[in-house]
Amino acid sequence: MQLLRRALGAVLLLAMLAAAVGLYFVAYPNLPEYEAPEALRYLEQWENGDRETYYYTPQGTQVKGLEYDWFVSLELPFSQDKFATPDYLARFGFLVDPSQQATALNPGNLPVGFARHEDDESGRTYLDVTCAACHTGELRHNGQAIRIDGGAAMHSLASTVPTLRGGSFGQTLGMSMAFTYYNPFKFDRFAHAVLGEHDEPARAQLRRDFKQALDRLLGTAYNDWHRDLYPTEEGFGRTDAFGRIANTAFGDALDTANYRVANAPVSYPHLWDIWKFDWVQWNGSAMQPMARNIGEALGVGAKLQLLHENGQPLPEGERYASGVRVRDLHRLENTLMRLAPPRWPEEILGEIDLEQASRGRALYRENCAHCHDAKPKPENNRYAPERDPEWRMAVIPTSVVGTDPTTADNIADHRFDLTRLGWTQDELKRLDVKLYGQSTGPLDLSKVSSAKGLAYITAYVEDRAYRDAGIGAAERAEFNGFGLPIGVQEIRGYKARPLDGIWATPPFLHNGSVPSLFHLLSPVAERPQRFWTGSREYDPSHVGIRTERFGGGFLLDTAITGNGNRGHEFRAGCRGNGVIGRALAPHERWALVEYLKVLGDPGFEPRLEALPTRPHTPGPSCL
């Protein structure tokens, strides 16, 4: 009996220690300290009105049913300070302006990409995280901040899975909500902030509604954790976008047997010029702008009803009610068409060496242009004849470019059982979905790829959303984007996009595994194998992020699955298996980097000297 008491005591002690460690990281999450810049510079990428529209137009997402007023009223777990203050949210990497004030579009004075929308059925106003939260960047140098509209975010957003290091937005939000619900003093203050003067029934209803949102968030955290769905930690500036969207649409909303391990984080791609691309997504799998944007909204939390509560399929006329706001998505897409690439600010990052950049341009034309130059299609060869220009995006097989294949492999190999939706082949043929490079046989609903499955679900959601919004056939072509169908192609590769403004988008490769352009032009053996992310401090010499250790940073280890930094290599010897070009001497790399600062910039290109260019040669093949 004494031995049993000792054993139980030891177990209790260990539980208390674990709880104490957890509470410590709730109270003091491992986040970088936020220091406001001396000045924030907005580049001339578009008009201020377009910027405000992009930052705060909702797209119909919800954070587990969290209402906007709830979010701005939440307190930190161990203080009465508000969770949603700009300076605190900036520690997660969300973007704030030191001089920002609440506005009609941003009444909670929240960071970029935190919007709100009113639900048409309930009238409740929900917190809406928009595309701007993930596709807006900022760089720092010598105390100055440079906003990169349409650039890559550097925040810690996606993960809700508890970790000892703490620091992700989802995890900390969940703990703040839990402390609010279970601490009666906090909940009293919360209820007063949300309801003002109120009666007991109103308070009780708020408590029930709030608990539902808390349960959803904690349920997601538990589900992700006990299934080990996201074993490769994403850290700052990355998420496994395709994996999370597939787990949301096929697992959460349809069948738990459809959950798949998502171990391939990707960086957030920049958005300028994407309206010109014939194929988008890192793997060039999607064509239609509206379908791409609906898929993104579903992945971020737009509500979606696929089945009855009893698990049976809905009648065709009742299917696919969702929260996506197609009019707002169309407004955002049109706004992005006016977004210009960022231009190198010499007064902050240093003057351009025109002689060096001229040599770099010649080297670029020899070694890079054959993959990365924009290639406008003739009108008779475009997917959308009225889109001018329409650029051909070369999707390079992973066997050639050699970069970490996990993202492309998962998208190509994961299969999902969609039979519970009750689709018929005749239904699918009526949808505005076009498969490219695929056999025309019937779709096997028991093992559908993620790209195809999302295309068909998106087609149903899109059609329902158009009907609910009163958008007729005449408008649909415009809303879809140039009348394009929901095109799908499946290539085990990655898109080689044009490089205008590439200087403003570190770290590099699809998974953010290379910190600077100089390292990307160097052999793999000379690239950092581990480096720290989460800081926006810029290195204008190497053109990339600073990689020193700092408090609250995330150590990116390229040896972990999904984080590989090999491939896209310039090295002596035969080509293939990731070697794409000849070895570049250090002075050639420096010249190329100098040119990549100003590629496509109309203020610099005419000032560069026209030097002779060696022809591109494919080199000896390893095969």
Side-chain angles (χ1 to χ4, degrees):
M1 184 62 71
Q2 186 176 8
L3 181 62
L4 179 60
R5 281 198 297 268
R6 287 180 178 176
L8 290 174
V11 170
L12 181 60
L13 179 61
L14 288 174
M16 291 173 63
L17 286 173
V21 170
L23 289 173
Y24 175 84
F25 282 108
V26 169
Y28 307 104
N30 188 26
L31 294 168
E33 292 295 331
Y34 172 68
E35 183 177 346
E38 297 173 12
L40 172 59
R41 165 81 177 275
Y42 292 90
L43 302 180
E44 296 179 359
Q45 294 180 255
W46 52 17
E47 300 294 331
N48 288 336
D50 286 337
R51 181 178 293 113
E52 287 293 301
T53 295
Y54 176 62
Y55 284 0
Y56 301 115
T57 295
Q59 56 184 7
T61 67
Q62 295 182 19
V63 182
K64 305 302 178 184
L66 187 64
E67 295 189 26
Y68 190 87
D69 290 343
W70 298 358
F71 182 68
V72 298
S73 300
L74 278 177
E75 295 177 353
L76 293 173
F78 293 105
S79 83
Q80 295 185 34
D81 294 338
K82 290 292 192 287
F83 179 86
T85 58
D87 284 2
Y88 186 71
L89 292 179
R91 295 185 64 193
F92 295 98
F94 298 115
L95 296 179
V96 299
D97 186 324
S99 63
Q100 74 179 49
Q101 300 291 327
T103 65
L105 286 177
N106 183 23
N109 198 28
L110 299 180
V112 171
F114 283 73
R116 61 176 185 157
H117 75 265
E118 184 176 301
D119 184 72
D120 293 335
E121 294 182 3
S122 67
R124 296 184 173 186
T125 302
Y126 290 101
L127 178 68
D128 192 316
V129 178
T130 80
C131 53
C134 296
H135 298 283
T136 309
E138 192 170 289
L139 304 172
R140 296 279 191 99
H141 186 62
N142 290 336
Q144 307 292 304
I146 307 165
R147 182 65 55 84
I148 309 296
D149 286 320
M154 185 60 77
H155 54 46
S156 178
L157 170 64
S159 178
T160 57
V161 178
T163 60
L164 284 181
R165 70 177 298 276
S168 79
F169 172 76
Q171 177 183 341
T172 311
L173 173 62
M175 290 302 98
S176 288
M177 292 177 66
F179 275 73
T180 295
Y181 181 79
Y182 289 107
N183 183 329
F185 301 105
K186 278 189 174 295
F187 193 83
D188 283 344
R189 292 192 295 270
F190 173 77
H192 184 76
V194 172
L195 300 174
E197 294 298 327
H198 60 278
D199 55 22
E200 184 56 33
R203 183 183 187 280
Q205 185 63 52
L206 173 63
R207 188 168 177 83
R208 288 191 294 270
D209 294 342
F210 187 78
K211 183 62 160 52
Q212 286 185 341
L214 173 61
D215 286 347
R216 291 190 197 104
L217 189 62
L218 297 183
T220 297
Y222 176 74
N223 182 72
D224 295 351
W225 169 72
H226 94 276
R227 295 180 189 275
D228 197 19
L229 293 181
Y230 306 100
T232 300
E233 196 171 351
E234 291 150 315
F236 288 92
R238 305 191 310 164
T239 187
D240 190 331
F242 242 101
R244 288 186 177 276
I245 293 172
N247 281 335
T248 298
F250 305 138
D252 294 347
L254 186 59
D255 190 336
T256 57
N258 280 328
Y259 286 119
R260 298 290 180 269
V261 170
N263 56 355
V266 297
S267 295
Y268 302 106
H270 49 282
L271 301 186
W272 48 86
D273 290 332
I274 60 165
W275 67 273
K276 305 171 185 176
F277 295 2
D278 57 358
W279 292 97
V280 295
Q281 306 291 21
W282 280 112
N283 65 332
S285 60
M287 173 186 288
Q288 189 194 92
M290 179 58 79
R292 177 200 64 221
N293 295 338
I294 288 176
E296 181 268 335
L298 293 176
V300 178
K303 67 179 182 180
L304 172 64
Q305 184 176 3
L306 295 181
L307 303 171
H308 274 299
E309 292 182 1
N310 62 11
Q312 296 301 308
L314 292 162
E316 186 173 356
E318 299 178 19
R319 291 178 183 172
Y320 309 107
S322 74
V324 296
R325 301 169 64 88
V326 287
R327 292 191 183 278
D328 285 328
L329 290 175
H330 180 56
R331 181 181 299 111
L332 286 166
E333 188 68 24
N334 283 346
T335 302
L336 284 169
M337 290 178 68
R338 297 189 287 273
L339 178 68
R343 304 305 183 193
W344 180 270
E346 285 189 291
E347 64 279 15
I348 300 175
L349 298 181
E351 293 186 1
I352 296 298
D353 184 330
L354 296 178
E355 183 178 350
Q356 183 84 317
S358 299
R359 289 192 291 267
R361 183 166 67 177
L363 288 163
Y364 172 85
R365 290 172 175 171
E366 174 198 348
N367 297 282
C368 313
H370 60 286
C371 282
H372 286 289
D373 258 10
K375 299 174 178 64
K377 295 180 178 181
E379 183 177 352
N380 62 358
N381 197 33
R382 297 174 191 161
Y383 292 122
E386 67 273 26
R387 175 166 53 187
D388 188 17
E390 180 177 288
W391 292 348
R392 180 179 67 82
M393 292 292 106
V395 181
I396 312 300
T398 55
S399 59
V400 175
V401 70
T403 48
D404 189 298
T406 314
T407 296
D409 287 348
N410 287 355
I411 294 171
D413 296 336
H414 285 175
R415 292 292 182 270
F416 304 89
D417 185 350
L418 308 187
T419 53
R420 294 183 68 188
L421 292 172
W423 290 344
T424 68
Q425 297 299 320
D426 287 340
E427 278 183 38
L428 298 181
K429 289 177 182 177
R430 294 199 300 267
L431 295 174
D432 190 22
V433 175
K434 185 172 183 180
L435 307 181
Y436 289 79
Q438 306 289 334
S439 64
T440 56
L443 188 69
D444 185 348
L445 294 176
S446 68
K447 47 182 179 181
V448 181
S449 69
S450 57
K452 287 181 186 174
L454 288 170
Y456 283 110
I457 284 181
T458 299
Y460 280 113
V461 172
E462 183 177 278
D463 180 68
R464 173 65 185 264
Y466 282 155
R467 285 189 282 117
D468 290 348
I471 297 171
E475 282 186 285
R476 289 191 182 194
E478 177 193 347
F479 274 61
N480 286 343
F482 304 102
L484 290 165
I486 300 176
V488 181
Q489 67 174 358
E490 295 178 326
I491 301 174
R492 206 179 293 261
Y494 300 117
K495 185 170 77 261
R497 64 187 298 157
L499 300 181
D500 300 60
I502 193 67
W503 64 269
T505 66
F508 300 101
L509 292 185
H510 73 279
N511 59 354
S513 61
V514 180
S516 76
L517 288 177
F518 184 83
H519 290 116
L520 188 58
L521 296 170
S522 302
V524 171
E526 297 180 25
R527 297 174 185 172
Q529 300 305 301
R530 305 170 84 205
F531 60 94
W532 293 87
T533 66
S535 168
R536 295 193 182 86
E537 290 298 323
Y538 192 68
D539 178 351
S541 175
H542 290 83
V543 182
I545 57 169
R546 299 282 295 270
T547 59
E548 303 93 335
R549 180 172 185 167
F550 63 97
F554 175 76
L555 182 61
L556 194 151
D557 186 345
T558 62
I560 294 173
T561 300
N563 290 353
N565 69 344
R566 64 184 179 86
H568 197 280
E569 187 176 14
F570 295 88
R571 179 162 55 83
C574 58
R575 309 286 171 84
N577 296 325
V579 179
I580 61 169
R582 67 173 179 84
L584 298 170
H587 71 273
E588 292 179 305
R589 295 178 228 163
W590 288 120
L592 261 170
V593 165
E594 194 70 9
Y595 175 60
L596 291 173
K597 297 176 182 178
V598 298
L599 181 152
D601 188 333
F604 282 99
E605 288 277 11
R607 297 165 59 191
L608 302 183
E609 184 180 355
L611 299 178
T613 301
R614 293 167 55 181
H616 168 70
T617 56
S621 171
C622 294
L623 302 177

